[in-house]
Amino acid sequence: DACFDFQNIEFNDLSVENIQFTNQPFRTRCSTYDILLTCQQDQEEGYIKGFIDYGTSLFKKESIEKIILDFKELILLIAENEAETIEN
Protein backbone atom coordinates (compact mmCIF):
# COMPACT_ATOMS: atom_id res chain seq x y z
CA ASP A 1 0.00 0.00 0.00
CA ALA A 2 1.08 3.56 -0.70
CA CYS A 3 -0.09 6.77 0.95
CA PHE A 4 0.35 10.51 0.39
CA ASP A 5 -0.41 12.69 3.41
CA PHE A 6 -0.54 16.50 3.27
CA GLN A 7 -0.86 18.23 6.63
CA ASN A 8 -1.68 21.92 6.59
CA ILE A 9 -2.74 22.36 10.18
CA GLU A 10 -0.70 24.13 12.79
CA PHE A 11 0.45 22.08 15.74
CA ASN A 12 0.61 24.16 18.88
CA ASP A 13 1.61 23.28 22.38
CA LEU A 14 -1.35 22.40 24.56
CA SER A 15 -1.81 23.45 28.13
CA VAL A 16 -4.51 22.05 30.43
CA GLU A 17 -4.61 23.36 33.97
CA ASN A 18 -1.03 22.83 35.22
CA ILE A 19 -0.04 20.30 32.56
CA GLN A 20 1.94 21.34 29.47
CA PHE A 21 1.96 19.16 26.32
CA THR A 22 4.45 19.70 23.48
CA ASN A 23 4.94 17.91 20.17
CA GLN A 24 7.85 15.51 20.14
CA PRO A 25 9.15 13.80 17.00
CA PHE A 26 9.84 10.12 17.29
CA ARG A 27 11.13 7.39 15.04
CA THR A 28 9.18 4.24 14.47
CA ARG A 29 10.74 0.87 13.80
CA CYS A 30 8.11 -0.20 11.30
CA SER A 31 6.25 1.50 8.48
CA THR A 32 2.46 1.82 8.49
CA TYR A 33 2.41 1.56 4.69
CA ASP A 34 4.75 0.06 2.12
CA ILE A 35 5.62 3.68 1.32
CA LEU A 36 4.28 6.88 2.88
CA LEU A 37 5.05 10.43 1.72
CA THR A 38 4.07 13.07 4.27
CA CYS A 39 4.22 16.79 3.55
CA GLN A 40 3.69 19.40 6.24
CA GLN A 41 2.95 23.04 5.48
CA ASP A 42 4.43 25.68 7.76
CA GLN A 43 2.20 28.68 7.12
CA GLU A 44 4.22 31.05 9.30
CA GLU A 45 7.55 30.28 7.61
CA GLY A 46 5.99 29.80 4.15
CA TYR A 47 7.42 26.43 3.21
CA ILE A 48 6.46 22.76 2.95
CA LYS A 49 8.69 20.05 4.35
CA GLY A 50 8.32 16.37 3.75
CA PHE A 51 9.55 12.95 4.67
CA ILE A 52 9.20 9.41 3.39
CA ASP A 53 8.56 6.38 5.55
CA TYR A 54 9.02 3.06 3.79
CA GLY A 55 9.42 -0.64 4.32
CA THR A 56 13.13 -1.38 4.15
CA SER A 57 12.37 -4.96 3.14
CA LEU A 58 10.60 -3.62 0.02
CA PHE A 59 12.73 -0.64 -1.06
CA LYS A 60 16.43 0.06 -1.29
CA LYS A 61 17.69 3.39 0.04
CA GLU A 62 18.82 4.30 -3.49
CA SER A 63 15.28 3.74 -4.82
CA ILE A 64 13.84 6.10 -2.20
CA GLU A 65 16.48 8.72 -2.99
CA LYS A 66 15.47 8.49 -6.69
CA ILE A 67 11.80 8.88 -5.75
CA ILE A 68 12.68 12.01 -3.75
CA LEU A 69 14.59 13.51 -6.68
CA ASP A 70 11.74 12.74 -9.09
CA PHE A 71 9.19 14.25 -6.70
CA LYS A 72 11.24 17.44 -6.33
CA GLU A 73 11.49 17.72 -10.12
CA LEU A 74 7.73 17.21 -10.45
CA ILE A 75 7.01 19.94 -7.88
CA LEU A 76 9.34 22.36 -9.68
CA LEU A 77 7.62 21.64 -13.01
CA ILE A 78 4.22 22.24 -11.46
CA ALA A 79 5.38 25.53 -9.91
CA GLU A 80 6.84 26.69 -13.24
CA ASN A 81 3.68 25.77 -15.18
CA GLU A 82 0.82 26.74 -12.86
CA ALA A 83 -1.73 27.06 -15.70
CA GLU A 84 -1.04 23.56 -17.02
CA THR A 85 -3.42 20.76 -16.05
CA ILE A 86 -2.21 17.45 -14.65
CA GLU A 87 -3.57 15.52 -17.63
CA ASN A 88 -1.21 17.46 -19.92
Side-chain angles (χ1 to χ4, degrees):
D1 294 333
C3 181
F4 174 74
D5 179 30
F6 181 76
Q7 300 177 2
N8 62 349
I9 58 173
E10 294 294 322
F11 292 99
N12 299 310
D13 292 346
L14 174 66
S15 182
V16 178
E17 295 180 10
N18 292 327
I19 301 172
Q20 180 75 25
F21 297 92
T22 58
N23 292 317
Q24 296 293 317
F26 63 93
R27 296 182 66 120
T28 60
R29 297 196 182 269
C30 65
S31 181
T32 307
Y33 294 91
D34 295 344
I35 187 167
L36 166 65
L37 170 60
T38 299
C39 294
Q40 297 173 326
Q41 181 179 8
D42 187 319
Q43 295 175 353
E44 285 184 16
E45 298 295 326
Y47 66 86
I48 297 173
K49 64 181 177 179
F51 63 89
I52 293 183
D53 186 22
Y54 63 96
T56 56
S57 63
L58 300 171
F59 296 94
K60 294 179 181 177
K61 180 180 177 183
E62 296 80 17
S63 299
I64 297 301
E65 290 170 346
K66 174 74 168 109
I67 290 170
I68 292 169
L69 289 175
D70 290 346
F71 186 72
K72 286 180 178 180
E73 184 177 334
L74 176 64
I75 295 301
L76 288 173
L77 286 171
I78 291 169
E80 292 171 358
N81 302 290
E82 293 179 28
E84 196 69 43
T85 61
I86 291 176
E87 64 191 30
N88 293 328

